Amino acid sequence: MTKSKAMSKAWTYTRRTMLLGSSFLGSAFFGGVTLPTPNRPQRKVAMVLKAVDSPFVVGCTQDGITSLRYRNDAYDTDYVLPGAVLGTAHARVRRAGSEWHTLRTGVDATKPMHSAALELAARDAGVLLTTRLAVDEAGLTWEIMLRNDGMASVEVGDLYFPMPMNTELSIGL
């Protein structure tokens, strides 16, 4: 809605007002508003993933995405929790009769880092786990692949993707 003379009590809804409203509703249902912690780790950005006409500004380190911002946001909002990494994948795998192995993706030294994509990989017990994060004009793409390089079957016990989104609300009142 937009404000007009006929509708002097109308509200203008933006992404920021929706985020603020949802955080207050969440605090009503789940108790308390999370306040920013002064001892929170600082955000690290070693490289920016770039693409022509991408709606996102994506900062990363060799571990994954550390900063995700909407390019034309009226309020500068970073959607990744400070000190955290988005884009890693974790898996627990084993071959029949063997021990469980934990895979956690990290930078794949065999693949060059591109200015528009970051590839992370982990290999153990003949299993390859890879993730590829890329920006383009459509947005951010996150591809995940789990491949068995051996002849024996592999059992996957867990496969999970941490989503450390920034949920802290800081309002300049």
Side-chain angles (χ1 to χ4, degrees), residues 89-159:
H90 302 256
R92 298 261 304 149
V93 298
R94 72 176 175 181
R95 299 229 179 256
S98 70
E99 297 292 318
W100 287 101
H101 297 271
T102 301
L103 301 173
R104 179 188 179 277
T105 58
V107 76
D108 185 353
T110 64
K111 300 204 180 209
M113 292 179 71
H114 302 287
S115 63
L118 176 67
E119 293 190 20
L120 307 170
R123 181 186 302 274
D124 195 8
V127 177
L128 176 65
L129 173 64
T130 61
T131 63
R132 183 174 187 276
L133 303 150
V135 291
D136 59 24
E137 64 279 347
L140 176 65
T141 304
W142 186 3
E143 298 172 351
I144 300 129
M145 182 183 72
L146 187 61
R147 185 178 76 208
N148 180 3
D149 288 336
M151 297 301 291
S153 62
V154 173
E155 182 180 357
V156 178
D158 295 313
L159 182 60

Side-chain angles (χ1 to χ4, degrees), residues 2-151:
T2 58
K3 198 171 187 177
S4 68
K5 288 182 182 179
M7 299 173 59
S8 61
K9 298 285 183 182
W11 289 86
T12 301
Y13 293 101
T14 64
R15 179 187 346 229
R16 177 106 172 139
T17 56
M18 296 302 287
L19 286 171
L20 291 173
S22 65
S23 69
F24 285 117
L25 286 175
S27 68
F29 289 118
F30 301 110
V33 173
T34 304
L35 297 175
T37 308
N39 297 330
R40 170 128 359 248
Q42 295 296 312
R43 186 178 315 280
K44 296 177 185 174
V45 175
M47 181 178 100
V48 176
L49 299 182
K50 299 176 185 174
V52 178
D53 297 329
S54 174
F56 295 101
V57 177
V58 181
C60 59
T61 65
Q62 73 253 10
D63 297 318
I65 293 176
T66 57
S67 176
L68 176 62
R69 296 173 26 228
Y70 185 68
R71 184 177 304 282
N72 298 318
D73 204 343
Y75 300 93
D76 189 22
T77 305
D78 201 315
Y79 294 97
V80 177
L81 187 66
V85 176
L86 174 68
T88 59
H90 302 256
R92 298 261 304 149
V93 298
R94 72 176 175 181
R95 299 229 179 256
S98 70
E99 297 292 318
W100 287 101
H101 297 271
T102 301
L103 301 173
R104 179 188 179 277
T105 58
V107 76
D108 185 353
T110 64
K111 300 204 180 209
M113 292 179 71
H114 302 287
S115 63
L118 176 67
E119 293 190 20
L120 307 170
R123 181 186 302 274
D124 195 8
V127 177
L128 176 65
L129 173 64
T130 61
T131 63
R132 183 174 187 276
L133 303 150
V135 291
D136 59 24
E137 64 279 347
L140 176 65
T141 304
W142 186 3
E143 298 172 351
I144 300 129
M145 182 183 72
L146 187 61
R147 185 178 76 208
N148 180 3
D149 288 336
M151 297 301 291

